[in-house]
Amino acid sequence: MSLSFEILARSGHARTGRLHTPHGVVPTPAFMPVGTAGTVKALHPEEVSGTGARMLIANTYHLWLRPGPELVASLGGLHRFMRWPHAIATDSGGFQAFSLAERVRLNEDGFEFSSHLDGSRRLLTPEESMRVQGLLGSDIALQLDVCPPAGVERPVLVAAVERTTRWAERCLAARAPGQGLFGIIQGGTDIDLRLWHAEALGRLPLDGLALGGFSVGEAPQSMYETLDRVVPFVDPNRPRYLMGVGTPTDLVRAMAAGVDIFDCVLPTRNARNGQAFVTGCRLTLKYARFRDDPRPLDEACACPVCSQGFSRAYIRHLYVAGEILAHRLLSLHNLHTYASLMASARTAIHEGQFEHWAHVQLAAAGTPGSAENRE
Amino acid sequence: MSLSFEILARSGHARTGRLHTPHGVVPTPAFMPVGTAGTVKALHPEEVSGTGARMLIANTYHLWLRPGPELVASLGGLHRFMRWPHAIATDSGGFQAFSLAERVRLNEDGFEFSSHLDGSRRLLTPEESMRVQGLLGSDIALQLDVCPPAGVERPVLVAAVERTTRWAERCLAARAPGQGLFGIIQGGTDIDLRLWHAEALGRLPLDGLALGGFSVGEAPQSMYETLDRVVPFVDPNRPRYLMGVGTPTDLVRAMAAGVDIFDCVLPTRNARNGQAFVTGCRLTLKYARFRDDPRPLDEACACPVCSQGFSRAYIRHLYVAGEILAHRLLSLHNLHTYASLMASARTAIHEGQFEHWAHVQLAAAGTPGSAENRE
C-alpha cells in the first residue's frame, strides 16, 4: 500500500496526524484546494503550496473530457502536467452525475453522460473511472459512487448505498498498482444507513473513507448532527474525508466529529464573486463602504496579500473593474485563511485544546451554519 | 525638475541611458508594461518588476472615471494604491479621444466624453488632465493631445499639431509641482509636419518628447520611414517615447532611429488571446499541433514560465478551458520577452554593436512589420 496514515494526537474526537503519500506527507486535518481542470483557479501552483496546502483535488470527469487522460499520461501524469509536486487526489466523477444530473442516465453498470462540452455520449463505469484516475496518476483515487440529492425517500438512499458498495468492490479490483483508493460513504442524513455503510465499506481494503452526499441541499444543522453521530464510528485507523464541505464553521464542526480531510470550492469560487473570508465573517467587496477602505482584507492575517499592503479599496476597484488580479488576490487570501484554520486546528489538537479552540472559532463566526454570510 | 535623463552610450542613432525619476532609475531603451486600470492585466506587481520593468504606464481616462483620482490620492497616490514602487507614467486621455471617437466631441477647450461606463458627460481639458495626473501622482504625465486617425487630409493634421502645441503650453502651466511632463509630437506620416512639431515642442520646457499618432492604421513601413527621418531631429538631450508601439520588430526599428521609451498592449493583450511571443515568431496556442507539445513556450527563454517547465500542451489546455492561469503564464512570458529584448538592446548599444544586433533580431523575425505573425 502506497498510502499510510498515522495519528499523532487526539483531542476529543478530533485527531491530528500525517498522511504519507508518494508525493510527500500531508499533515491532517488538511484542506485540499480544488483544481478541477488541472489548475486551482486563478493561482500558480507555487502560490497554492505557499498557503501550506500539501494536497489538492482535481476532477476526473472534467479531465476525462478535456484534455483527456491519455494526453496527461503521455506528458508524465497530472503532477508533472500541472507542475504540482505535492499530493493529488482525484474525485471519481460521481459528483458530476449529481451536479450535471440532467445529462446523466444511471444504471448498475455506471453513468451515461452527454458531455457538457460537445454533447457526445460517454459511459463512466467504476472501471473506466479507475482507468482514468490511473492514467492521471493521482495519489488518491476516489471510488465511483452514487450521490442522491437531499430529501429523497429512504429506498433511494438504500439503493445508492448498496450500489456504491458494489462499485467500491469493482473499483478495488480495477485500481492501478500503487494508487490509493478511498471509498465513499453515502446515506444522506439517515444515521442508521450512514453507520451501516461505514461498516460495510470499512470491511473492504480501502485506504481511506470519504463521506459523500453532504452539501447537496440539506440544512447545515442536519449535516452537523449526522457527522457527530457517524464519524466517530468510521474506522478510526483510516483517514476520513468529508467531500465538498464547506464554510470555516463547517470545518470546525466536522473536525470536532473526527474528520481529517476536506475540500471545497468556496475559497476560490467566492473569490471570483468578490468575497473575502476574514476573521469571523465574509467581506463582500462590491459594497460601497469598502470604496475608500485603506485596510488590508484582514488585519489579523499574515498572507502575502494582507502583508503586502493591498487595500480593500484597491481590491474592490479591481473587482468592480473586472480585473483578474482581484480574483487572484482574493483566492490567495481565502486559501491562506483556510490553510491557517487547519494549521491552527492541528496545533490545538496537539496541545489537547481542541474543544476550547473550536469554541473560540465558532464564537467568532457567530451562529453556526450560514454565519460567515453576515456582513 | 524631478526628472533627469543621461545618455551613457550611442551606437548609430540608438542610445542607452538612465532616466532618473522620483521612484527610481529606469534604464533605457525601456519598455513600459500597460496598466490601464491600475493593474497590468492578470499580473501581480512583483511579477511585473520581476521581468525587469522599472516603469509602467497607467491610463488617465480610465482612472478618472473609475475609481476616480480623488480616491486614489486619498489612499496615497497610484504607486501606493497599486503597490508598484517603481516609476509610473500616465497617458493623458488624448488617445481615448481617438479610440473611443464615437463618444467624443472635440473643441479648443478639450474633449467632451460620454463615459463608456455610465454615459455621463465629462469634459477633459488640458487642465483637467493635469489635475487628474497630479492627483494620481505619476512620475511622468503626458500632455493632452489631439491624435487624428491615419489617412486624414493635411489640414486636419496641421490643426491637430497646432492645437496639441497650444495644449502643451496649457499643460505646462497647469502641471503639479515636481511632476514630469512629456509633450506629444503629432503629424501622422507627414515628415515635414512631424519635424516642425518636434521643433515647436522642443522649444517648450518639457521633460521629454513623445511621438503619438502611430499605430493608428498606417502601414508599418510608413511608420518606420517616418521614424527614421524624424526621430534623429527630436531634441537628443531629452528622452524620446514612441507611444503604443509595437511588435518586437517595431521596437528594434524604432530603437535604431533613436527612440528611448515604449509602451504597448501587445504582450498582455495577445496573452489573453492565447499568443506567446517567442524567438522570431508568435505561437498561437489554440492550434491543435500544440495539443501534446511537451516543450516550454520558448526553449531559449529564461523566464519563470519557461524555466519552471510549464509545457505548451498544458498552457494550451488552460487556454482552451478558459482558465486564468493561461492568461497569467502567457502575460508573464510575453513581458519577459519584451524586457529581455530591451536589456539585450542596451547591452548591444553599450558595446557599440547595435547595428549588428538589430540585423540579427530582424533576420530572426523575417520580413518586417507583420513578421511575428508567422509561426
Side-chain angles (χ1 to χ4, degrees):
Chain A
M1 191 162 75
S2 59
L3 289 182
S4 69
F5 181 56
E6 53 175 336
I7 294 172
L8 301 173
R10 289 181 176 76
S11 178
H13 288 301
R15 318 101 68 82
T16 182
R18 284 197 284 247
L19 179 64
H20 298 264
T21 82
H23 290 86
V25 174
V26 182
T28 64
F31 178 82
M32 298 190 287
V34 176
T36 302
T39 166
V40 176
K41 286 193 187 302
L43 295 182
H44 188 289
E46 290 185 349
E47 290 170 333
V48 177
S49 59
T51 67
R54 287 296 172 268
M55 181 159 63
L56 57 73
I57 184 161
N59 188 281
T60 297
Y61 169 78
H62 285 275
L63 294 170
W64 181 48
L65 297 186
R66 185 174 63 196
E70 293 80 5
L71 177 73
V72 175
S74 78
L75 291 161
L78 188 56
H79 296 82
R80 185 181 174 110
F81 187 58
M82 67 183 292
R83 314 308 293 168
W84 174 257
H86 308 293
I88 297 179
T90 39
D91 80 2
S92 59
F95 188 74
Q96 277 64 45
F98 161 76
S99 63
L100 305 171
E102 74 282 7
R103 303 184 154 275
V104 176
R105 291 164 61 96
L106 167 65
N107 60 39
E108 183 64 19
D109 195 28
F111 297 106
E112 194 176 87
F113 281 90
S114 69
S115 160
H116 72 286
L117 299 178
D118 62 8
S120 64
R121 306 297 297 175
R122 308 287 294 256
L123 180 65
L124 189 62
T125 61
E127 291 75 18
E128 174 66 2
S129 179
M130 294 311 295
R131 186 187 75 86
V132 172
Q133 295 183 76
L135 286 167
L136 295 174
S138 52
D139 301 277
I140 298 175
L142 271 290
Q143 74 152 107
L144 195 69
D145 63 323
V146 180
C147 174
V152 298
E153 303 278 314
R154 193 166 199 271
V156 176
L157 286 179
V158 171
V161 156
E162 291 178 341
R163 181 169 282 164
T164 297
T165 307
R166 291 190 295 273
W167 285 5
E169 292 169 348
R170 286 168 60 184
C171 286
L172 277 167
R175 72 159 146 182
Q179 187 169 41
L181 177 62
F182 281 21
I184 302 180
I185 300 165
Q186 292 287 349
T189 53
D190 186 313
I191 309 288
D192 291 341
L193 201 51
R194 286 274 181 188
L195 289 170
W196 183 88
H197 201 203
E199 194 187 328
L201 291 179
R203 281 193 295 267
L204 300 176
L206 296 157
D207 301 303
L209 295 162
L211 295 123
F214 288 109
S215 274
V216 292
E218 79 285 5
Q221 200 55 44
S222 166
M223 175 177 77
Y224 300 154
E225 287 171 18
T226 309
L227 293 174
D228 286 344
R229 294 180 59 190
V230 171
V231 178
F233 298 95
V234 176
D235 180 1
N237 297 315
R238 282 182 270 190
R240 300 153 169 171
Y241 162 31
L242 177 58
M243 304 183 77
V245 175
T247 66
T249 292
D250 293 340
L251 270 53
V252 173
R253 295 293 300 255
M255 286 188 280
V259 171
D260 305 300
I261 303 171
F262 300 88
D263 80 287
C264 189
V265 294
L266 273 186
T268 43
R269 177 175 294 164
N270 288 24
R272 189 157 68 254
N273 300 328
Q275 274 198 345
F277 287 89
V278 305
T279 310
C281 66
R282 297 180 201 174
L283 304 182
T284 301
L285 286 170
K286 70 181 173 193
Y287 293 161
R289 65 191 169 90
F290 296 119
R291 190 173 176 278
D292 59 357
D293 190 334
R295 290 175 293 173
L297 292 172
D298 188 344
E299 290 178 295
C301 178
C303 87
V305 182
C306 292
S307 60
Q308 287 171 350
F310 291 99
S311 63
R312 294 172 178 185
Y314 179 61
I315 298 171
R316 177 183 190 275
H317 162 66
L318 295 175
Y319 176 73
V320 170
E323 291 287 351
I324 284 174
L325 189 56
H327 191 167
R328 285 185 58 171
L329 296 177
L330 288 166
S331 294
L332 189 55
H333 167 81
N334 285 347
L335 283 184
H336 263 281
T337 298
Y338 270 63
S340 297
L341 182 76
M342 294 290 110
S344 166
R346 291 193 296 268
T347 302
I349 298 167
H350 275 292
E351 295 172 349
Q353 300 289 327
F354 183 81
E355 190 179 2
H356 173 71
W357 176 89
H359 180 78
V360 170
Q361 297 294 322
L362 296 175
T367 50
S370 61
E372 286 83 0
N373 258 323
R374 71 193 171 82
E375 257 294 316
Chain B
M1 192 160 76
S2 58
L3 289 181
S4 68
F5 181 57
E6 53 176 335
I7 294 172
L8 301 173
R10 288 181 177 76
S11 179
H13 288 301
R15 318 102 68 78
T16 181
R18 284 198 282 247
L19 179 65
H20 298 265
T21 83
H23 290 87
V25 173
V26 182
T28 65
F31 178 82
M32 299 190 286
V34 176
T36 302
T39 166
V40 176
K41 287 194 189 299
L43 295 182
H44 189 288
E46 289 185 350
E47 288 170 332
V48 177
S49 59
T51 67
R54 286 297 172 267
M55 182 159 62
L56 58 74
I57 184 160
N59 189 281
T60 297
Y61 169 78
H62 285 275
L63 294 169
W64 181 48
L65 297 185
R66 184 174 62 195
E70 293 80 5
L71 176 74
V72 175
S74 78
L75 291 161
L78 187 56
H79 296 82
R80 185 181 172 107
F81 186 57
M82 67 184 289
R83 314 309 293 170
W84 173 257
H86 309 293
I88 297 178
T90 40
D91 82 0
S92 59
F95 187 75
Q96 277 64 45
F98 160 77
S99 63
L100 306 171
E102 73 283 4
R103 304 185 154 274
V104 175
R105 291 163 61 95
L106 167 66
N107 60 37
E108 183 63 20
D109 196 28
F111 297 104
E112 193 176 271
F113 282 90
S114 69
S115 160
H116 72 286
L117 298 178
D118 62 7
S120 64
R121 306 297 298 174
R122 308 287 294 254
L123 181 65
L124 188 62
T125 62
E127 292 75 17
E128 175 66 3
S129 180
M130 294 310 296
R131 185 187 74 85
V132 172
Q133 295 183 76
L135 286 167
L136 296 174
S138 52
D139 301 277
I140 298 176
L142 271 291
Q143 74 151 108
L144 195 68
D145 64 324
V146 181
C147 174
V152 298
E153 303 279 314
R154 192 165 199 271
V156 176
L157 286 179
V158 171
V161 158
E162 291 179 339
R163 183 170 279 163
T164 296
T165 308
R166 292 191 295 274
W167 285 5
E169 292 170 346
R170 286 169 60 184
C171 286
L172 277 166
R175 73 160 146 180
Q179 189 169 40
L181 177 62
F182 281 22
I184 301 179
I185 301 165
Q186 291 289 349
T189 54
D190 185 315
I191 310 288
D192 291 342
L193 201 51
R194 285 273 181 188
L195 289 169
W196 182 88
H197 201 203
E199 193 187 328
L201 292 179
R203 283 194 294 268
L204 299 177
L206 296 156
D207 302 303
L209 294 162
L211 295 123
F214 288 109
S215 274
V216 293
E218 79 285 2
Q221 200 56 44
S222 169
M223 176 177 78
Y224 300 154
E225 287 170 18
T226 310
L227 293 174
D228 285 343
R229 295 180 58 189
V230 171
V231 178
F233 298 95
V234 176
D235 180 2
N237 298 314
R238 282 181 270 190
R240 299 153 170 171
Y241 161 31
L242 177 58
M243 304 182 77
V245 176
T247 65
T249 292
D250 294 340
L251 270 52
V252 173
R253 296 294 300 254
M255 286 190 280
V259 171
D260 306 300
I261 302 170
F262 300 88
D263 81 286
C264 190
V265 295
L266 273 185
T268 43
R269 177 175 296 163
N270 287 25
R272 186 156 69 256
N273 300 327
Q275 274 198 346
F277 287 89
V278 305
T279 309
C281 68
R282 297 180 201 170
L283 304 182
T284 301
L285 287 170
K286 69 181 171 192
Y287 293 161
R289 66 191 170 88
F290 297 119
R291 189 172 177 278
D292 59 357
D293 190 334
R295 291 175 293 172
L297 291 173
D298 187 346
E299 289 178 295
C301 177
C303 87
V305 181
C306 292
S307 61
Q308 286 171 351
F310 291 98
S311 64
R312 295 172 179 185
Y314 179 61
I315 298 172
R316 177 183 191 276
H317 162 66
L318 295 175
Y319 176 73
V320 171
E323 290 287 349
I324 284 174
L325 188 56
H327 192 169
R328 287 184 56 171
L329 297 177
L330 288 166
S331 293
L332 189 55
H333 167 81
N334 285 348
L335 283 183
H336 263 280
T337 297
Y338 270 63
S340 298
L341 183 75
M342 296 290 111
S344 166
R346 292 193 296 268
T347 301
I349 299 167
H350 275 292
E351 296 172 348
Q353 300 289 328
F354 183 82
E355 191 179 0
H356 172 71
W357 176 88
H359 180 78
V360 171
Q361 297 295 320
L362 296 175
T367 50
S370 60
E372 285 83 358
N373 259 324
R374 71 194 172 81
E375 271 281 332

Short mmCIF file of all heavy atoms in Angstrom, two decimals, chain A residues 242-278:
data_model
loop_
_atom_site.label_atom_id
_atom_site.label_comp_id
_atom_site.label_asym_id
_atom_site.label_seq_id
_atom_site.Cartn_x
_atom_site.Cartn_y
_atom_site.Cartn_z
N LEU A 242 -14.26 14.40 4.36
CA LEU A 242 -15.61 14.96 4.14
C LEU A 242 -15.60 15.74 2.83
O LEU A 242 -14.95 16.78 2.72
CB LEU A 242 -16.00 15.86 5.31
CG LEU A 242 -17.35 16.57 5.20
CD1 LEU A 242 -18.50 15.58 5.03
CD2 LEU A 242 -17.59 17.45 6.43
N MET A 243 -16.35 15.26 1.85
CA MET A 243 -16.24 15.78 0.49
C MET A 243 -17.08 17.04 0.26
O MET A 243 -18.26 17.08 0.59
CB MET A 243 -16.66 14.70 -0.51
CG MET A 243 -15.87 13.41 -0.35
SD MET A 243 -16.32 12.16 -1.60
CE MET A 243 -15.45 12.81 -3.02
N GLY A 244 -16.42 18.06 -0.29
CA GLY A 244 -17.16 19.24 -0.78
C GLY A 244 -17.69 20.17 0.28
O GLY A 244 -18.56 21.00 0.02
N VAL A 245 -17.15 20.09 1.49
CA VAL A 245 -17.62 20.90 2.62
C VAL A 245 -16.41 21.64 3.16
O VAL A 245 -15.37 20.99 3.36
CB VAL A 245 -18.23 20.00 3.71
CG1 VAL A 245 -18.60 20.82 4.95
CG2 VAL A 245 -19.45 19.25 3.17
N GLY A 246 -16.47 22.92 3.42
CA GLY A 246 -17.60 23.81 3.46
C GLY A 246 -17.11 25.16 3.97
O GLY A 246 -15.99 25.61 3.71
N THR A 247 -17.92 25.81 4.78
CA THR A 247 -17.52 27.08 5.41
C THR A 247 -16.53 26.81 6.54
O THR A 247 -16.42 25.67 7.02
CB THR A 247 -18.74 27.80 6.01
OG1 THR A 247 -19.22 26.98 7.09
CG2 THR A 247 -19.85 27.99 4.97
N PRO A 248 -15.82 27.83 7.01
CA PRO A 248 -14.95 27.61 8.17
C PRO A 248 -15.69 27.00 9.35
O PRO A 248 -15.18 26.10 10.02
CB PRO A 248 -14.41 29.02 8.47
CG PRO A 248 -14.35 29.67 7.11
CD PRO A 248 -15.59 29.18 6.40
N THR A 249 -16.91 27.44 9.58
CA THR A 249 -17.71 26.85 10.66
C THR A 249 -17.95 25.37 10.42
O THR A 249 -17.82 24.53 11.33
CB THR A 249 -19.06 27.59 10.77
OG1 THR A 249 -18.81 28.91 11.24
CG2 THR A 249 -20.01 26.87 11.73
N ASP A 250 -18.30 25.02 9.19
CA ASP A 250 -18.50 23.60 8.85
C ASP A 250 -17.24 22.79 9.16
O ASP A 250 -17.32 21.67 9.68
CB ASP A 250 -18.80 23.45 7.35
CG ASP A 250 -20.13 24.06 6.94
OD1 ASP A 250 -21.00 24.27 7.80
OD2 ASP A 250 -20.29 24.32 5.72
N LEU A 251 -16.08 23.35 8.82
CA LEU A 251 -14.84 22.61 9.01
C LEU A 251 -14.55 22.40 10.49
O LEU A 251 -14.14 21.30 10.89
CB LEU A 251 -13.67 23.36 8.35
CG LEU A 251 -13.38 23.00 6.88
CD1 LEU A 251 -14.60 23.12 6.00
CD2 LEU A 251 -12.24 23.83 6.33
N VAL A 252 -14.78 23.41 11.29
CA VAL A 252 -14.56 23.28 12.73
C VAL A 252 -15.48 22.22 13.31
O VAL A 252 -15.06 21.33 14.07
CB VAL A 252 -14.76 24.64 13.43
CG1 VAL A 252 -14.70 24.47 14.95
CG2 VAL A 252 -13.72 25.66 12.95
N ARG A 253 -16.75 22.26 12.89
CA ARG A 253 -17.72 21.27 13.40
C ARG A 253 -17.33 19.85 12.97
O ARG A 253 -17.46 18.90 13.75
CB ARG A 253 -19.13 21.60 12.89
CG ARG A 253 -19.70 22.93 13.41
CD ARG A 253 -19.96 22.89 14.91
NE ARG A 253 -20.89 21.87 15.30
CZ ARG A 253 -22.16 22.08 15.66
NH1 ARG A 253 -22.64 23.31 15.68
NH2 ARG A 253 -22.94 21.08 16.03
N ALA A 254 -16.87 19.72 11.74
CA ALA A 254 -16.55 18.39 11.24
C ALA A 254 -15.25 17.86 11.86
O ALA A 254 -15.13 16.66 12.14
CB ALA A 254 -16.44 18.42 9.72
N MET A 255 -14.28 18.75 12.09
CA MET A 255 -13.06 18.30 12.78
C MET A 255 -13.40 17.81 14.18
O MET A 255 -12.82 16.83 14.66
CB MET A 255 -12.02 19.41 12.83
CG MET A 255 -11.36 19.67 11.48
SD MET A 255 -9.96 20.83 11.58
CE MET A 255 -10.82 22.40 11.62
N ALA A 256 -14.33 18.49 14.82
CA ALA A 256 -14.74 18.08 16.16
C ALA A 256 -15.32 16.67 16.15
O ALA A 256 -15.21 15.93 17.14
CB ALA A 256 -15.76 19.08 16.72
N ALA A 257 -15.94 16.29 15.03
CA ALA A 257 -16.50 14.94 14.92
C ALA A 257 -15.45 13.91 14.53
O ALA A 257 -15.71 12.71 14.58
CB ALA A 257 -17.64 14.95 13.90
N GLY A 258 -14.26 14.38 14.09
CA GLY A 258 -13.19 13.44 13.77
C GLY A 258 -12.85 13.36 12.29
O GLY A 258 -12.22 12.38 11.87
N VAL A 259 -13.21 14.37 11.50
CA VAL A 259 -12.85 14.36 10.08
C VAL A 259 -11.40 14.83 9.92
O VAL A 259 -10.94 15.73 10.63
CB VAL A 259 -13.81 15.26 9.27
CG1 VAL A 259 -13.31 15.43 7.83
CG2 VAL A 259 -15.21 14.66 9.28
N ASP A 260 -10.69 14.23 8.95
CA ASP A 260 -9.27 14.52 8.74
C ASP A 260 -8.98 15.34 7.50
O ASP A 260 -7.96 16.02 7.43
CB ASP A 260 -8.49 13.20 8.61
CG ASP A 260 -8.72 12.28 9.79
OD1 ASP A 260 -8.40 12.70 10.92
OD2 ASP A 260 -9.23 11.17 9.58
N ILE A 261 -9.81 15.22 6.48
CA ILE A 261 -9.51 15.82 5.17
C ILE A 261 -10.77 16.49 4.63
O ILE A 261 -11.88 15.97 4.81
CB ILE A 261 -9.02 14.74 4.16
CG1 ILE A 261 -7.79 14.02 4.72
CG2 ILE A 261 -8.69 15.36 2.81
CD1 ILE A 261 -7.38 12.79 3.89
N PHE A 262 -10.56 17.63 3.98
CA PHE A 262 -11.65 18.40 3.40
C PHE A 262 -11.26 18.88 2.01
O PHE A 262 -10.09 19.02 1.68
CB PHE A 262 -11.94 19.65 4.24
CG PHE A 262 -12.34 19.36 5.66
CD1 PHE A 262 -11.37 19.24 6.65
CD2 PHE A 262 -13.67 19.22 6.01
CE1 PHE A 262 -11.72 18.97 7.96
CE2 PHE A 262 -14.04 18.95 7.32
CZ PHE A 262 -13.06 18.82 8.30
N ASP A 263 -12.30 19.20 1.22
CA ASP A 263 -12.10 20.01 0.03
C ASP A 263 -13.35 20.84 -0.15
O ASP A 263 -14.44 20.44 0.29
CB ASP A 263 -11.90 19.15 -1.23
CG ASP A 263 -13.23 18.64 -1.77
OD1 ASP A 263 -13.82 17.73 -1.15
OD2 ASP A 263 -13.70 19.19 -2.78
N CYS A 264 -13.21 21.98 -0.81
CA CYS A 264 -14.38 22.80 -1.09
C CYS A 264 -14.00 23.89 -2.08
O CYS A 264 -12.89 24.41 -2.05
CB CYS A 264 -14.93 23.43 0.20
SG CYS A 264 -16.52 24.22 -0.06
N VAL A 265 -14.94 24.25 -2.94
CA VAL A 265 -14.69 25.33 -3.89
C VAL A 265 -14.89 26.72 -3.27
O VAL A 265 -14.53 27.72 -3.90
CB VAL A 265 -15.61 25.24 -5.14
CG1 VAL A 265 -15.31 23.99 -5.95
CG2 VAL A 265 -17.07 25.30 -4.75
N LEU A 266 -15.43 26.80 -2.05
CA LEU A 266 -15.78 28.12 -1.51
C LEU A 266 -14.65 29.14 -1.54
O LEU A 266 -14.86 30.28 -1.97
CB LEU A 266 -16.30 27.99 -0.07
CG LEU A 266 -17.79 27.72 0.14
CD1 LEU A 266 -18.08 27.77 1.64
CD2 LEU A 266 -18.65 28.73 -0.59
N PRO A 267 -13.44 28.82 -1.09
CA PRO A 267 -12.41 29.88 -1.04
C PRO A 267 -12.12 30.46 -2.42
O PRO A 267 -11.90 31.67 -2.54
CB PRO A 267 -11.17 29.17 -0.48
CG PRO A 267 -11.64 27.88 0.06
CD PRO A 267 -12.95 27.54 -0.54
N THR A 268 -12.12 29.62 -3.46
CA THR A 268 -11.80 30.13 -4.79
C THR A 268 -13.05 30.63 -5.51
O THR A 268 -13.00 31.65 -6.20
CB THR A 268 -11.09 29.04 -5.62
OG1 THR A 268 -11.74 27.78 -5.42
CG2 THR A 268 -9.65 28.90 -5.18
N ARG A 269 -14.18 29.96 -5.33
CA ARG A 269 -15.39 30.42 -6.02
C ARG A 269 -15.85 31.77 -5.44
O ARG A 269 -16.22 32.68 -6.17
CB ARG A 269 -16.51 29.40 -5.90
CG ARG A 269 -17.81 29.88 -6.54
CD ARG A 269 -18.88 28.83 -6.53
NE ARG A 269 -18.52 27.70 -7.38
CZ ARG A 269 -19.12 26.51 -7.34
NH1 ARG A 269 -20.09 26.29 -6.47
NH2 ARG A 269 -18.74 25.55 -8.15
N ASN A 270 -15.82 31.89 -4.11
CA ASN A 270 -16.24 33.17 -3.53
C ASN A 270 -15.28 34.29 -3.88
O ASN A 270 -15.68 35.45 -4.00
CB ASN A 270 -16.41 33.04 -2.01
CG ASN A 270 -17.65 32.23 -1.67
OD1 ASN A 270 -18.12 31.43 -2.48
ND2 ASN A 270 -18.19 32.44 -0.48
N ALA A 271 -14.01 33.96 -4.07
CA ALA A 271 -13.06 34.96 -4.56
C ALA A 271 -13.52 35.53 -5.88
O ALA A 271 -13.50 36.74 -6.11
CB ALA A 271 -11.67 34.34 -4.70
N ARG A 272 -13.95 34.65 -6.77
CA ARG A 272 -14.42 35.09 -8.08
C ARG A 272 -15.63 36.02 -7.94
O ARG A 272 -15.85 36.89 -8.77
CB ARG A 272 -14.78 33.85 -8.91
CG ARG A 272 -15.07 34.13 -10.34
CD ARG A 272 -14.86 32.89 -11.23
NE ARG A 272 -15.77 31.78 -11.05
CZ ARG A 272 -15.48 30.63 -10.44
NH1 ARG A 272 -14.29 30.44 -9.91
NH2 ARG A 272 -16.35 29.66 -10.35
N ASN A 273 -16.41 35.83 -6.87
CA ASN A 273 -17.56 36.68 -6.63
C ASN A 273 -17.25 37.86 -5.73
O ASN A 273 -18.16 38.53 -5.23
CB ASN A 273 -18.70 35.84 -6.04
CG ASN A 273 -19.10 34.72 -6.98
OD1 ASN A 273 -19.02 34.88 -8.20
ND2 ASN A 273 -19.50 33.59 -6.43
N GLY A 274 -15.96 38.11 -5.50
CA GLY A 274 -15.57 39.30 -4.73
C GLY A 274 -15.71 39.15 -3.23
O GLY A 274 -15.84 40.15 -2.53
N GLN A 275 -15.67 37.92 -2.74
CA GLN A 275 -15.80 37.73 -1.29
C GLN A 275 -14.49 37.28 -0.67
O GLN A 275 -13.81 36.39 -1.19
CB GLN A 275 -16.85 36.67 -0.98
CG GLN A 275 -18.25 37.24 -0.90
CD GLN A 275 -19.20 36.30 -0.18
OE1 GLN A 275 -18.89 35.13 0.02
NE2 GLN A 275 -20.33 36.83 0.22
N ALA A 276 -14.18 37.90 0.48
CA ALA A 276 -13.01 37.51 1.26
C ALA A 276 -13.47 36.88 2.57
O ALA A 276 -14.33 37.43 3.25
CB ALA A 276 -12.14 38.73 1.55
N PHE A 277 -12.87 35.74 2.91
CA PHE A 277 -13.07 35.15 4.22
C PHE A 277 -12.11 35.85 5.18
O PHE A 277 -10.89 35.81 4.97
CB PHE A 277 -12.77 33.65 4.21
CG PHE A 277 -13.83 32.84 3.53
CD1 PHE A 277 -13.77 32.60 2.16
CD2 PHE A 277 -14.91 32.34 4.25
CE1 PHE A 277 -14.76 31.85 1.53
CE2 PHE A 277 -15.90 31.59 3.62
CZ PHE A 277 -15.82 31.36 2.25
N VAL A 278 -12.65 36.50 6.20
CA VAL A 278 -11.79 37.13 7.19
C VAL A 278 -12.25 36.66 8.56
O VAL A 278 -13.27 35.97 8.68
CB VAL A 278 -11.83 38.67 7.09
CG1 VAL A 278 -11.48 39.13 5.67
CG2 VAL A 278 -13.18 39.21 7.50
#
